[in-house]
């Protein structure tokens, strides 16, 4: 309504009854708008059905004259505008379900349109005749009254029409219970409007029922399972003239959130958080029960659509009535939190949109008198502006089912009237930086709800095929990135709080390793904290990404650019188009993702099948797009991700020929005799030949008739064998891409044929559940001639592909699958050959110098345990977390369902991503499934012992090594194998071949490999052979714990062969005095005495034999101790478990730094030999990194001069010094200081100059004339000053060369020059003379 000042005002008292509505429009003169015709609201009150007929007739005959109405006991309200009297906005159309109609007097309206309202209130008091019969049910009584009023209205319909009455509402009041409402409308020929049954008319305005009827036929669930008068549930069937989906059914739930008058901001916040959530959950419960209720009474399945998936297009409307003392932003945040908190429940009942209108009271700034935009002043009793009511509407939509999108609007008055020449109220988006305007921006408040969109139908189609609509995967990636950042920031926050709370006076005593290595941190922590000064530094082989965002994250986590084929279909080009406009079943994007490891962004190529286009099948265009995208990723060295859901190569028939061909039967009168050939008529043959649809040949029948026999059906491209050719192309491209970049496939939907091969050729695969197939169960059953397989899941489900190693990981849904992709990418360099993604030390949430958990010790020691605790750590018996070798929560396991005696995955140590392989210590069970096609087959379970390589686990190890090598990851092998299984079945299943593949994988490994035998671990026989560091000595190093063992056989086995029974007896005679005495006595004496002595000797030997068996085994075990391994040069060092984390972190950083510098040396000097480069590197480190503290020496390393004569120190001090030196070398190689970077750059520059000199010399020796021509061309491009400088240099060099030889241009001079050049001297005399 309008205030006395004439300004539009929102808010005020809400209408909760007819009397409220009448009071609201009572002072109509002050609010009269001349654009509206006069409109009367007449209320007639009766106390008995017996008098209702006569009073109704008399009232109508009064023709609404005020005096006559008063005599009839009716209340006639003053005329008012249409919006106030009806209590609702004018609604366009006036179709079923629309409470309003075009108003009289408006543009384009007839003045004869009915505008008046008649309300009949029937008050049934105690003692009235209608309530005398206790057996009369309330519903039956109300129905009888409604029938009576319906008959009255029908009898007087002509009079009602003449009086321009648009609506008659019956309100039945009883002493107890809620009133009932019945509405009869003129536009329905005075039949009851069932939509408004038991609905208070003012509340129809509040819950905006009129927006439903334009595109839907709606039916209320008036007497459903939940009787709550504050919300209504409607079943809406999309009208046939809407865009497709005319058989789609959805639900609309409209609710009022009632409450008291708010006292302050705190009261408003509490009300909004509590009452809104309660009503939201109650509406969800009602919706869930209403589905079943409607199905029961109608026999229709409304819970599922025609795609076989749950209805995911329902709408929830919650109108909040009390005015809230909150700002716009505060209200939006509270509403958003409530909706997102109950996201799962909303998804369960298929709600994709929640609409919440509300009024907030925003304060004015009385000093500056700033008024919020689109708001209007309100005044208190003193005339001072205080709180401004602002009408808002917040819409939460989630069409993809994965991300809630929030759009907030103000309800404002339009600057000009609408088409009906009435005041229009519009939605206006509330501005949010970086966010576009909402879809309702600029539209009127009464805009009808649109029909189900084309994209929504495609989403439902995708859900019916057990996958996600292809364009919604971008939303999943964005959501997964957000989840990664939330996890990172929470860890970052926890670390900061721990750092703040940490004090030097901690009561906990440091462990032995920490105490001995306190100097490690003192000498290196300063360098670590300042490791880089730029955004990304990777001189040392790791990318130290400096992230200084504190508790913030990048505003935009992902940018996606769609790619499509160019006009010539020879390359991919960028395209900007709305979602779903693709004309191909393959969709490609280039994604720039900002991850915690790469905050500046990393690129990937994302390829996905669109199952809503030709079922996602592979045609010629799909193959070409897939191939070009794969080649793009391969050439740029960026990861290629493929989301697969397809039906394999596209198949088809030529419809034009199919509709025209005819059959030549052997006997035209008896088709059972068989077919001779197919042919086409004369009228079609020329057209088919011209369009290259078919090939024919002329056949003359015995009766002389000519036939054009079909010899081949050609047709268009993309329906047959040409698709197989394209499949071969993309199969080869995928195989090459695996070698050249990171490839990963996510099986989101069923993948058939070439789709299945692409999964395997890409090697790394994540499977959600849908099967990976070569041939479907239907086709196999036809081949077998019987119904054998009942589902495709039997052939390629997760129980098959996860357990045989095709699928590396299994997930529950698409979001988990995409999250796994993002998690896997966090371990992989942004580009092939690039640095490892490592956060700076200041962002590490797990300290390097913490204790390392040893499961053998502590409150609950154990020798048989889950070996993963060595990597991840675990909670001990008292519930305290004990960290493992690697960073907490960093271990990411793959291939867990296959080859279970080996464990493999990725992890981080000090933030550096690494690959990890280790054995299972416990016995596991392998299940071989029964094949339904083989009646004699049966499921078989095979036990496999821990610490042993079986054929499947050996193949798994080789596969993991190959994958991690191509991912550019350093490798940790926690070696604790007793050997390979060698039984007959194992030999038949190729254990020898798979064991050899481990060696082949390590030979090709390019990154550092650390083999470590853990505490009380052992490495025996062939298991040692396949991971010995000499396999690839340039990258492999082996270390052992002081309690570890290594040898050919276990001690008991060696004793059986090399310490036999007789040797045990000899040892016993040598060491045991009694045995020795008895043996000597046995050699002399009488025969009777010897018999007695022999018995005594045997008794003594049998008594001692078990003990000496242990002695022999212990002696054999002493041959396998770490000291002997080190003495024989078989290992690189002994590293106690307590030192392992610190040591391997420093050692890994050093090795990565050395490899990076060696790679740069190779690039600067391609013809140089690696040993020479390593010598230069050692000299570089010797001259730039101090080495004065006694430390452990590497294998083959001589004692440096600085350490000769140093005092003896403990092993712990040596280890601390070793760790310190490794960290210092790593800091130097990573260029932590500017001087360090300059020193490395100088060596590289000198190498490059030497290579150029040698190269020029070789060119001159090969062809002097060509070298002279090339030199002349190069000189011509120089300035005159540079030429003169070069000439002077050449003359000086020639003079020096001739002076050394004592003559000019003699063989001795040539020999001298060539010799000097070979050792890095100046250019040869030929080059100098040519230059001169």
């Amino acid at each position: 309504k309008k205030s006395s000042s004439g300004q539009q005002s929102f808010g005020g008292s809400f209408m909760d009854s007819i009397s409220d509505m009448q009071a609201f429009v009572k002072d109509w003169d002050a609010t009269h708008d001349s654009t509206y015709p006069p409109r009367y609201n007449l209320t007639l009150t009766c106390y008995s059905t017996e008098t209702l007929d006569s009073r109704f007739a008399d009232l109508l005959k009064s023709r609404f004259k005020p005096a006559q109405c008063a005599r009839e006991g009716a209340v006639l309200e003053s005329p008012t505008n249409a919006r106030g009297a009806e209590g609702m906005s004018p609604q366009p159309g006036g179709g079923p379900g629309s409470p309003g109609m075009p108003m009289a007097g408006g543009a384009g309206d007839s003045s004869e349109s009915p505008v008046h309202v008649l309300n009949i209130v029937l008050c049934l008091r105690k003692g009235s005749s209608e309530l005398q019969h206790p057996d009369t049910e309330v519903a039956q009584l109300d129905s009888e009254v409604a029938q009576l009023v319906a008959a009255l209205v029908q009898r007087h319909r002509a009079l009602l029409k003449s009086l321009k009455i648009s609506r008659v509402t019956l309100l039945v009041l009883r002493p107890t219970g809620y009133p009932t409402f019945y509405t009869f409308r003129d536009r329905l020929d005075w039949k009851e409007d069932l939509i408004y049954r038991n609905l208070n008319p003012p509340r129809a305005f509040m819950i905006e029922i009129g927006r439903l009827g334009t595109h839907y036929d709606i039916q209320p669930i008036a007497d459903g399972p939940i009787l709550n008068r504050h919300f209504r549930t409607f079943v809406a069937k999309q009208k046939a003239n809407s865009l497709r989906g005319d058989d789609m059914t959805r639900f609309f739930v409209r609710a009022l959130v009632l409450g008291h008058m708010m006292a302050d901001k705190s009261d408003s916040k509490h009300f909004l958080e509590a009452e809104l959530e309660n009503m939201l959950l109650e509406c969800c419960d009602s919706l869930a029960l209403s589905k079943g209720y409607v199905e029961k009474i109608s026999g229709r399945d409304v819970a599922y659509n025609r795609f076989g998936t749950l209805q995911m297009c329902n709408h929830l409307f919650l109108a909040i009535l009390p005015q809230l003392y909150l700002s716009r932003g505060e209200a939006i945040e509270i509403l958003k939190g409530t909706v997102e908190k109950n996201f799962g429940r909303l998804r369960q009942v298929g709600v994709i949109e929640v609409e919440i209108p509300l009024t907030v009271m925003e304060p004015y700034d009385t000093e500056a008198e700033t008024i919020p935009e689109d708001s209007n002043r309100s005044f208190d009793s003193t005339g001072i502006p205080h709180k401004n009511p602002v009408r808002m509407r917040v819409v939460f939509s989630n069409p993809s089912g994965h991300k809630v999108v929030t759009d907030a609007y103000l309800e404002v008055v339009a600057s000009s009237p609408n088409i009906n020449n009435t005041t229009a109220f519009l939605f206006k988006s509330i501005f949010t930086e970086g966010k576009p305007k909402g879809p309702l921006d600029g539209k009127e408040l009464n805009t009808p709800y649109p029909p189900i969109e084309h994209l929504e139908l495609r989403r439902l189609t995708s859900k019916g095929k057990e996958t996600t609509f292809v364009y919604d995967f971008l939303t999943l990636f964005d959501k997964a990135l957000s989840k990664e950042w939330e996890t990172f920031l929470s860890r970052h926050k926890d670390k900061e709080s721990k750092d703040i709370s940490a004090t030097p006076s901690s009561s906990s005593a440091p462990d032995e390793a920490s105490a001995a290595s306190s100097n490690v941190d003192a000498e290196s922590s300063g360098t670590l904290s300042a490791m880089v000064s730029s955004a990304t530094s990777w001189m040392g082989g790791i990318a130290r990404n400096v992230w200084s965002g504190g508790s913030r994250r990048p505003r935009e986590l992902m940018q996606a650019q769609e790619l499509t084929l160019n006009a010539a279909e020879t390359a991919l080009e960028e395209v900007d188009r709305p979602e779903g406009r693709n004309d191909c079943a393959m969709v490609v994007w280039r994604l720039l993702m900002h991850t915690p490891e790469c905050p500046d962004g990393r690129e990937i190529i994302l390829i996905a099948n669109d199952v809503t286009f030709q079922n996602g099948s592979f045609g010629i265009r799909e193959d070409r797009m897939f191939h070009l995208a794969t080649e793009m990723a391969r050439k740029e060295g960026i990861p290629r991700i493929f989301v697969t859901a397809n039906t394999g190569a596209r198949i088809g028939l030529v419809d034009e020929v199919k509709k025209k061909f005819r059959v030549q039967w052997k006997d035209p009168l008896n088709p059972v005799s068989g077919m001779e050939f197919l042919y086409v008529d004369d009228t079609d043959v020329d057209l088919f030949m011209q369009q290259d649809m078919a090939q024919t040949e002329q056949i003359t029948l015995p009766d002389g008739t000519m036939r054009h026999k079909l010899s081949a059906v050609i047709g268009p491209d993309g329906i047959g064998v040409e698709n197989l050719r394209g499949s071969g192309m993309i199969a080869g491209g995928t195989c090459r891409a695996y070698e050249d970049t990171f490839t990963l496939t996510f099986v989101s939907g069923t993948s058939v044929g070439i789709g299945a091969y692409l999964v395997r050729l890409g090697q790394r695969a994540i499977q959600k559940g849908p099967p990976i197939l070569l041939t479907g169960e239907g086709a196999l059953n036809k081949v077998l001639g019987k119904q054998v397989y009942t589902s495709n899941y039997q052939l390629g489900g997760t129980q098959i592909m996860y357990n045989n190693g095709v699928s590396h990981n299994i997930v529950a849904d698409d979001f988990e699958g995409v999250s796994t992709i993002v998690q896997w990418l966090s371990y992989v360099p942004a580009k092939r050959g690039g640095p490892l993604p490592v956060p700076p030390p200041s962002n590490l949430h797990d300290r390097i110098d913490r204790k390392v958990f040893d499961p053998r010790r502590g409150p609950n020691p154990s020798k048989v345990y889950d070996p993963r605790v060595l990597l991840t750590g675990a909670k001990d018996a008292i519930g305290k977390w004990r960290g493992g070798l690697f960073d907490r929560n960093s271990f990411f396991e793959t291939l867990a369902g296959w080859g279970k005696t080996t464990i493999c995955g990725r992890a981080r140590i000090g933030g550096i991503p690494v690959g990890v392989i280790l054995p299972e210590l416990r016995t596991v069970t392998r299940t071989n499934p029964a094949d339904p096609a083989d009646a004699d087959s049966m499921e078989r379970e095979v036990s496999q012992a821990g610490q042993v390589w079986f054929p499947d686990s050996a193949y798994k190890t080789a596969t993991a090594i190959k994958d991690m090598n191509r991912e550019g990851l350093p490798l940790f092998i926690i070696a604790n194998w007793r050997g390979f299984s060698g039984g007959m079945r194992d030999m038949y299943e190729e254990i020898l071949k798979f064991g050899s593949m481990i060696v082949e994988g390590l030979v090709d490994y390019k990154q550092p490999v650390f083999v470590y035998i853990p505490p009380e671990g052992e490495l025996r026989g062939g298991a040692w052979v396949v991971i010995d560091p000499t396999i690839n000595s340039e990258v492999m190093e082996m270390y052992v714990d002081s309690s570890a063992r290594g040898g050919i056989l276990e001690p008991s086995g060696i004793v059986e062969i090399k310490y036999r029974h007789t040797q045990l007896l000899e040892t016993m005679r040598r060491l045991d005095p009694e045995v020795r005495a008895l043996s000597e006595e046995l050699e002399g004496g009488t025969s009777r005495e010897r018999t007695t002595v022999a018995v005594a000797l045997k008794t003594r030997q049998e008594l001692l034999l078990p003990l000496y068996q242990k002695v022999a085994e212990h002696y054999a075990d002493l041959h396998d101790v770490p000291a002997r391994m080190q003495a024989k040069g078989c290992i690189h060092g002994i590293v106690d478990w307590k030192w392992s984390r610190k040591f391997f972190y420093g050692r890994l950083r050093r090795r990565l730094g050395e490899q990076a510098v060696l790679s740069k040396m190779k690039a600067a000097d391609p013809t140089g030999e690696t040993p020479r480069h390593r010598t230069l590197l050692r000299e570089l480190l010797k001259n730039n990194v101090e080495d004065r503290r006694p430390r452990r020496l590497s294998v083959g390393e001589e004692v440096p001069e600085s350490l000769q004569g140093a005092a003896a120190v403990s092993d712990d001090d040596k280890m601390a010094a070793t760790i310190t030196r490794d960290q210092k070398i790593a800091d130097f190689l990573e260029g932590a200081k500017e001087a360090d970077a300059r020193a490395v750059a100088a060596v590289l520059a000198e190498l490059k100059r030497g290579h150029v000199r040698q190269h020029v010399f070789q060119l001159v020796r090969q062809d002097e004339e060509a070298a002279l021509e090339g030199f002349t061309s190069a000189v011509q491009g120089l300035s005159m000053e540079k030429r003169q400088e070069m000439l002077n240099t050449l003359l000086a060099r020639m003079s020096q060369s001739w002076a050394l030889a004592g003559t000019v241009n003699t063989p001795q001079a040539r020999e001298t020059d060539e010799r000097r050049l070979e050792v890095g001297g100046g250019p040869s005399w030929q080059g100098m003379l040519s230059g001169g």
Side-chain angles (χ1 to χ4, degrees), residues 1294 1297-1298 1305 1309-1310 1313-1314 1323-1330:
M1294 285 190 295
S1297 178
W1298 294 334
N1305 197 15
R1310 298 190 188 97
D1313 288 342
E1314 292 172 1
S1324 66
W1325 66 273
Q1326 295 98 329
M1328 289 186 287
L1329 289 178
S1330 301

Side-chain angles (χ1 to χ4, degrees), residues 252-418:
F252 287 91
V253 181
R254 328 291 285 178
L256 294 175
V257 183
L258 306 179
H260 58 278
M261 181 177 293
M262 299 295 110
D264 52 20
K265 180 177 179 179
S266 177
D267 191 17
S268 301
K269 182 177 180 180
H270 179 268
F271 166 80
L272 199 56
E273 290 175 342
E275 296 300 325
L276 178 66
E277 183 173 9
N278 292 338
M279 181 58 73
L280 186 144
L281 293 176
E282 191 171 358
C283 290
C284 289
D285 295 340
S286 173
L287 181 56
L289 295 173
S290 297
K291 285 184 175 184
Y293 177 78
V294 172
E295 291 168 1
K296 180 179 179 180
I297 64 175
S298 65
R300 295 187 300 112
D301 188 359
V302 297
Y304 291 86
N305 54 45
R306 59 190 170 103
F307 303 104
T309 61
L310 278 171
Q311 289 284 13
M312 301 304 294
C313 50
N314 301 323
H315 183 279
L316 187 59
F317 181 96
L318 300 170
I320 300 175
L321 300 191
Q323 297 176 341
L324 306 174
Y325 289 91
L326 297 170
S327 67
R328 306 174 189 179
E330 291 171 341
I332 293 173
E333 286 302 316
I334 295 174
L335 296 177
K336 184 177 179 180
T338 302
V339 172
E340 291 184 346
K341 176 182 176 182
N342 297 279
F343 165 78
R345 180 55 176 158
L346 292 170
R347 287 289 297 168
Q348 286 179 349
V349 296
V351 174
I352 64 170
E353 191 169 74
V354 178
E355 184 177 358
I356 304 176
L358 70 159
T359 302
V360 295
M361 304 296 290
E362 289 193 335
Y364 283 121
D365 187 344
T366 56
E367 296 182 1
E369 291 200 15
T370 56
I371 302 176
E373 184 183 1
D374 303 313
S375 303
N376 301 280
R377 291 192 178 191
S378 60
F379 301 85
D380 61 14
S381 58
T382 63
I384 299 176
H386 51 100
K387 297 289 184 180
N388 180 56
V390 178
R391 273 302 277 180
M392 293 177 55
R393 187 161 312 205
V394 187
V395 181
F396 302 95
S397 57
N398 185 17
S400 66
H402 303 289
K403 184 178 181 180
V404 178
V405 178
T406 304
D407 294 301
Y409 308 91
L410 296 176
E411 298 180 3
V412 300
V413 181
S415 57
S416 59
N418 59 15

Side-chain angles (χ1 to χ4, degrees), residues 547-846:
W547 181 78
S548 57
S551 59
R552 299 187 304 274
R553 67 176 189 178
R555 176 171 298 176
E556 192 173 9
L557 298 181
M558 185 185 74
Q559 295 89 43
Q561 177 60 60
E562 188 175 356
L563 304 175
T564 188
L565 292 171
N566 61 8
E569 297 189 354
T570 57
L572 296 179
E573 63 182 8
E574 296 182 357
V575 60
D576 293 321
R577 61 187 179 188
E579 294 181 356
R581 296 296 179 88
N582 54 304
D583 56 355
C584 179
M586 196 71 64
V587 186
V588 178
W589 293 276
R590 179 190 291 273
L591 301 186
L592 177 63
M593 304 191 304
H594 301 273
T595 65
E597 298 79 19
C598 300
D600 292 333
R602 63 177 302 162
E603 288 187 323
I604 67 169
I605 296 296
L606 175 62
I607 310 172
N609 291 119
D610 182 3
V611 294
T612 65
F613 190 101
Q614 297 281 351
N615 287 322
S617 57
F618 289 83
I620 292 179
R621 297 188 75 241
E622 286 77 10
D623 292 335
R624 190 171 291 119
M625 181 175 287
F626 185 97
H627 177 70
L628 290 173
T630 300
E631 288 299 300
M632 177 182 292
R634 188 171 71 87
K635 291 177 181 178
E636 297 182 19
I638 59 179
R640 192 221 67 178
I641 310 300
F642 177 37
V643 179
T644 175
N646 56 74
T647 55
R650 186 171 300 159
I651 59 177
L653 297 173
V654 181
D655 293 334
E656 293 84 353
V657 179
K658 184 173 66 175
K659 297 176 182 178
K660 298 290 185 178
F661 76 81
R662 297 180 179 275
V663 181
Q664 180 63 46
W665 303 103
K666 293 181 180 179
D667 183 357
L669 300 179
N670 184 20
V672 179
S673 61
M675 178 198 75
E676 284 195 17
F677 55 84
L678 303 179
Y679 69 93
V680 293
D681 292 337
D682 297 341
T683 56
D684 301 320
V685 65
D686 292 336
L687 178 62
F688 289 160
M689 295 293 289
Q690 181 180 359
Q691 297 180 351
D692 200 20
M693 289 291 178
Q695 294 179 1
T696 62
E697 57 178 298
Q698 288 189 352
I699 299 294
T700 303
L701 299 180
D703 60 359
T705 305
M706 296 292 296
R707 292 280 190 251
H708 296 282
K709 176 184 175 181
L710 279 174
S711 58
V713 180
I714 308 300
D717 292 336
I719 61 172
V721 69
E722 63 273 20
N723 293 337
L724 296 180
R725 183 178 178 86
S727 297
M729 175 181 66
I730 62 177
T734 300
C735 192
R736 288 188 292 272
Y738 171 74
E739 298 293 334
D740 295 337
T741 189
F742 177 81
T743 57
L744 178 60
T745 304
F746 174 37
V747 185
S748 174
T750 302
S751 296
V752 183
I754 181 58
Y757 278 110
L758 291 177
V759 173
R760 180 56 188 161
L761 291 171
Q763 299 296 327
R764 307 172 192 87
I766 302 169
Q767 187 176 6
K768 183 182 70 176
I772 303 170
L773 305 169
L774 292 179
T775 306
E777 50 92 12
L780 284 178
N781 288 336
K782 289 183 179 180
V783 171
L784 297 173
K786 56 182 178 179
Q787 188 73 19
V788 175
Y789 298 103
T790 59
S791 170
N792 286 328
Y793 287 85
Q794 291 178 280
L795 302 170
T798 54
Q799 82 283 359
I800 301 294
M801 296 302 173
Y802 186 53
N803 294 335
N804 66 10
V806 171
S807 297
H808 287 57
N809 292 81
I810 56 174
V811 294
D813 52 43
D814 287 323
F815 174 64
E816 186 180 347
V818 173
S819 298
T820 304
I821 293 174
V822 174
Q823 184 180 5
W824 201 327
L825 285 171
S826 68
Y827 297 92
V828 181
K831 289 190 176 182
R832 177 66 187 268
L836 295 171
V838 181
S842 59
N843 285 340
L844 298 179
H845 66 278
D846 198 358

